């Protein structure tokens, strides 16, 4: 099976790839507008078929031992490792992200996640069995939730597919994944890799369709027991609303507006380099990317100057070129949305550098056909302005000064989001206070963006709830059942007298 062959279509149901029966759709390379693949989207009937396949596979997969599921995921790790180069090339083609990011971050991160869950599958923890009442032995079982319906975003198609699929199937569930129709190809490759690894047909299914048809039908489906969604907060609210109608378990990883707090004792060079990397990763199309830098006033001007200098040296170009630092955004529509934020900000703030679409790449190549946007630095914006509060989701960093520590932490928390943040300081007491008081699911100290499979990822406030990655994510995908045995063999128990009769 060639993982890069998509001629059979963009649906993967019960171990077979097929064409959709809905509308035709083009997967476009945003670097030059070329068509990567012509696909047809899923109809609601195909969503029904995928859910039926997952439901049929559930008893067998749920009844498989943790050791057998672990062995299957170990085999999957090997299949993905062998396909690493192809995965990186396809990911770059459909998203426009630089191939060095796909090769050094997206693909190895996905492989590491797979290896982690191969081990985690054998570690479904519960409270120790014991006689907690004195007359009964109690223990806890962890059981699969059932069929999981997951929706993944376009910014990290491969990694987000893995984040949805791996903990679900490691815990014994089956899954129907709806990837973003803009970027479905590596999700399909991942599903086909599962088949090559010997995971039974129907355990992992992929339906490529539009959100308002295939996505909403999947979320509302009566045979789907749990919904996991990664995407914007407004769409997350809609997902939660639909899931509530059938009392589904929900897991939501939503938007972010990560603060980057630089105290006056920070290593300035480290903070500047960290801010550039953390604001431009994946073209800034990352819900944990640094978007709001709050810099204590003694370092403010030097920080702005340092970031502006490094932004000016960023190499934009063909994402297939290993020298390229920044590729295009995912589409022209999204590029124009990002540009709109910046253009509106000109009326109340200063665009220090960037703020336009480039014509030439670092090597002189023509970029006008692609969805490129220059790294953009903004200063002078008010805390309540759109550019500070809104989720831009592009290569745009806003820098604001602060005076006291109290003010800096207050500004960092002044957002409806709470996914990630960072604090930059050489003072242990400042770092401990920042990690304690910043309301976010992850707070880095003197770095911003690294993730690891062993640690959880998930947000506070309007950034959603539930965890991806780590042992904690298995909690999302299991039901906890209390089992209690009488140990006395007494027919007429004393507690019965609280209901009827006399002692």
């Amino acid at each position: 099976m060639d993982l890069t062959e998509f001629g059979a279509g963009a649906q993967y149901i019960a171990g077979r790839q097929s064409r959709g029966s809905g509308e035709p759709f083009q997967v476009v390379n945003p670097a030059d507008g070329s068509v990567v693949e012509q696909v047809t989207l899923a109809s609601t009937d195909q969503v029904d078929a995928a859910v039926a396949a997952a439901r049929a596979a559930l008893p067998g997969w749920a009844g498989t031992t943790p050791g057998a599921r672990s062995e299957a995921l170990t085999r999957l790790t090997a299949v993905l490792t062998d396909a690493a180069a192809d995965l990186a090339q396809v990911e770059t083609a459909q998203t426009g992200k630089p191939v060095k990011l796909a090769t050094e971050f997206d693909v190895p991160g996905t492989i590491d996640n797979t290896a982690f869950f191969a081990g985690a599958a054998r570690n479904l923890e519960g409270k120790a069995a014991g006689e907690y009442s004195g007359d009964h032995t109690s223990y806890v079982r962890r059981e699969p939730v059932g069929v999981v319906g997951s929706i993944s975003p376009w910014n990290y198609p491969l990694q987000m597919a893995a984040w949805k699929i791996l903990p679900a199937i490691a815990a014994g569930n089956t899954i129907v994944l709806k990837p973003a129709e803009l970027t479905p190809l590596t999700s399909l490759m991942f599903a086909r890799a599962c088949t090559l690894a010997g995971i039974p047909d129907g355990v992992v299914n992929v339906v490529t369709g539009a959100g308002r048809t295939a996505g909403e039908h999947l979320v509302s489906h009566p045979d789907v027991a749990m919904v996991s969604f990664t995407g914007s907060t407004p769409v997350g609210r809609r997902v939660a609303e639909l899931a509530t109608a059938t009392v589904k378990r929900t897991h939501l990883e939503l938007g972010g507006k990560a603060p980057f707090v630089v105290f006056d004792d920070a290593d300035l060079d480290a903070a500047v380099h960290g801010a550039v990397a953390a604001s431009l990763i994946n073209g800034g199309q990352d819900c944990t990317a640094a978007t709001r830098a709050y810099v204590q006033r003694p370092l403010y001007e030097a920080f702005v100057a340092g970031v502006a200098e490094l932004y000016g040296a960023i190499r934009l170009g063909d994402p297939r070129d290993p020298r390229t630092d920044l590729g295009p955004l995912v589409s022209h529509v999204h590029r124009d949305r990002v540009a709109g934020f910046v253009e509106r900000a000109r009326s109340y703030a200063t665009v220090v550098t960037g703020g336009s679409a480039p014509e030439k790449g670092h090597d002189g190549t023509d970029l006008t056909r692609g969805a490129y946007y220059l790294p953009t630095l903004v200063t002078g914006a008010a805390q309540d302005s759109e550019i500070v509060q809104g989720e831009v989701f592009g290569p745009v960093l806003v820098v604001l000064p602060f005076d006291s520590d109290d003010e800096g932490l207050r500004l960092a928390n002044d957002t409806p989001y709470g996914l990630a943040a960072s604090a930059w300081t050489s003072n242990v007491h400042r770092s401990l206070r920042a990690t304690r008081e910043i309301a976010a699911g992850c707070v880095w100290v003197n770095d911003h963006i690294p993730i690891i499979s062993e640690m959880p990822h998930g947000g506070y406030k309007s950034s959603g709830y539930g965890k991806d990655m780590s042992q904690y994510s298995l909690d999302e995908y299991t039901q906890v059942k209390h089992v209690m045995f009488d140990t006395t063999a007494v027919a007429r128990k004393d507690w019965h007298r609280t209901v009827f009769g006399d002692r």
Side-chain angles (χ1 to χ4, degrees):
M1 182 186 291
D2 180 3
L3 295 187
T4 63
E5 175 55 55
F6 302 104
Q11 318 304 324
Y12 198 79
I13 300 170
R16 294 169 183 80
Q17 197 157 331
S18 62
R19 297 184 183 279
S21 53
E23 296 295 318
F25 189 84
Q26 292 181 335
V27 178
V28 174
N29 184 334
D32 57 15
S34 62
V35 177
V36 181
E37 287 290 337
Q38 176 85 39
V39 302
T40 49
L41 301 180
S43 65
T44 56
D45 287 345
Q46 287 177 304
V47 174
D48 290 340
V51 173
R55 187 178 182 188
L58 180 63
W61 185 248
T64 302
T65 65
R69 294 198 294 268
S70 174
E71 290 172 1
L73 291 173
T74 298
R75 294 193 298 270
L76 178 59
T77 304
V79 173
L80 295 172
T81 300
D82 289 343
D86 287 341
L87 287 165
Q89 290 298 325
V90 175
E91 193 78 330
T92 291
Q94 68 177 351
T95 64
K97 68 178 64 194
V99 71
K100 69 177 180 179
L101 182 69
T103 301
E104 298 177 25
F105 181 72
D106 297 65
V107 173
T110 300
I111 293 170
D112 186 70
N113 261 259
T114 309
F116 172 81
F117 280 106
R122 305 187 74 153
N123 189 33
L124 295 176
E125 295 181 340
K127 206 167 192 176
E131 288 69 48
Y132 296 98
S133 78
D135 293 336
H136 307 82
T137 296
S138 290
Y139 68 86
V140 169
R141 290 177 55 87
R142 282 195 177 272
E143 299 179 347
V145 176
V147 176
V148 178
S150 290
I151 300 175
S152 57
W154 50 257
N155 57 336
Y156 289 102
L158 177 63
Q159 287 208 79
M160 295 297 102
W163 284 18
K164 301 301 183 192
I165 292 169
L166 293 170
I169 67 173
N173 303 281
T174 56
I175 188 168
V176 178
L177 174 76
K178 193 205 85 65
E181 59 268 35
L182 287 176
T183 57
L185 303 181
T186 48
S187 299
L188 290 163
M189 293 173 71
F190 192 94
R192 294 165 80 180
C194 289
T195 298
L196 284 177
I199 293 171
D201 293 348
V203 173
V204 177
N205 307 275
V206 175
V207 289
T208 301
R212 290 197 174 274
T213 52
E216 293 203 358
H217 192 66
L218 178 62
V219 170
S220 304
H221 201 289
D223 291 335
V224 170
M226 173 182 170
V227 171
S228 179
F229 170 80
T230 295
S232 71
T233 297
V235 178
R237 292 192 185 101
R238 175 63 175 162
V239 169
E241 176 187 344
L242 292 170
T244 298
T246 47
V247 199
K248 297 184 191 331
R249 181 180 293 195
T250 55
H251 166 218
L252 303 176
E253 197 265 273
L254 307 177
K257 190 70 178 175
F260 187 101
V261 184
V262 183
F263 294 98
D264 57 14
D265 63 345
D267 181 323
L268 178 62
D269 192 47
V272 166
H273 280 79
V276 171
S279 60
L280 300 185
I281 186 171
N282 206 43
Q285 301 166 126
D286 185 313
C287 49
T288 63
T291 58
R292 300 177 292 139
Y294 297 101
V295 184
Q296 207 152 24
R297 207 168 293 275
L299 297 184
Y300 175 78
E301 290 186 4
F303 179 88
V304 170
V307 171
E309 181 181 1
L310 285 183
Y311 270 9
I314 295 297
R315 296 169 298 188
L316 283 82
D318 185 340
R320 297 170 299 180
D321 182 348
R323 298 171 298 167
T324 293
D325 299 322
L326 190 65
L329 300 184
V330 74
S331 69
H332 284 84
V333 170
H334 184 64
R335 192 271 309 277
D336 293 346
R337 176 185 175 276
V338 170
F341 274 92
V342 176
E343 290 309 306
R344 290 188 295 273
R346 292 184 190 276
S347 66
Y348 57 79
T350 300
V351 177
V352 176
T353 187
S356 63
E359 295 185 357
K360 299 290 184 182
H362 67 91
D363 58 356
T365 55
D366 180 15
L367 300 183
T368 55
R369 290 184 299 162
Y372 290 88
Y373 198 73
L374 288 169
T376 300
L377 182 63
V378 178
T379 61
Q383 175 66 13
D384 61 355
S385 63
E386 180 192 47
I387 199 80
V388 174
Q389 295 293 331
E391 191 175 20
V392 179
F393 223 60
V396 179
L397 179 66
V398 185
V399 187
L400 298 88
F402 69 92
D403 293 304
S404 69
D405 290 14
D406 288 348
E407 181 189 15
L409 295 174
R410 177 181 60 78
L411 292 171
N413 281 329
D414 182 24
T415 173
Y417 301 107
L419 188 58
S422 64
W424 297 74
T425 177
S426 59
N427 184 297
V428 66
H429 301 292
R430 269 178 161 166
S431 66
L432 288 170
R433 181 186 178 191
T435 57
R436 182 175 66 249
E437 294 187 11
I438 293 176
C442 175
V443 181
W444 294 283
V445 177
N446 295 330
D447 209 343
H448 190 116
I449 223 72
I451 55 173
I452 51 174
S453 298
E454 290 82 358
M455 288 291 119
H457 175 87
Y460 287 19
K461 302 189 290 186
S462 290
S463 291
Y465 47 81
K467 299 300 178 185
D468 288 310
M469 299 197 300
S470 82
Q471 191 73 29
Y472 293 97
S473 68
L474 284 179
D475 294 345
E476 307 291 335
Y477 293 93
T478 56
Q479 298 270 25
V480 175
K481 178 186 286 184
H482 170 214
V483 178
M484 179 179 270
F485 290 87
D486 170 63
T487 60
T488 66
V490 173
R492 300 185 179 188
K493 296 179 171 58
D494 187 59
W495 79 264
H496 295 169
R497 304 291 76 79
T498 65
V499 180
F500 69 96
D502 300 319
R503 282 188 174 85

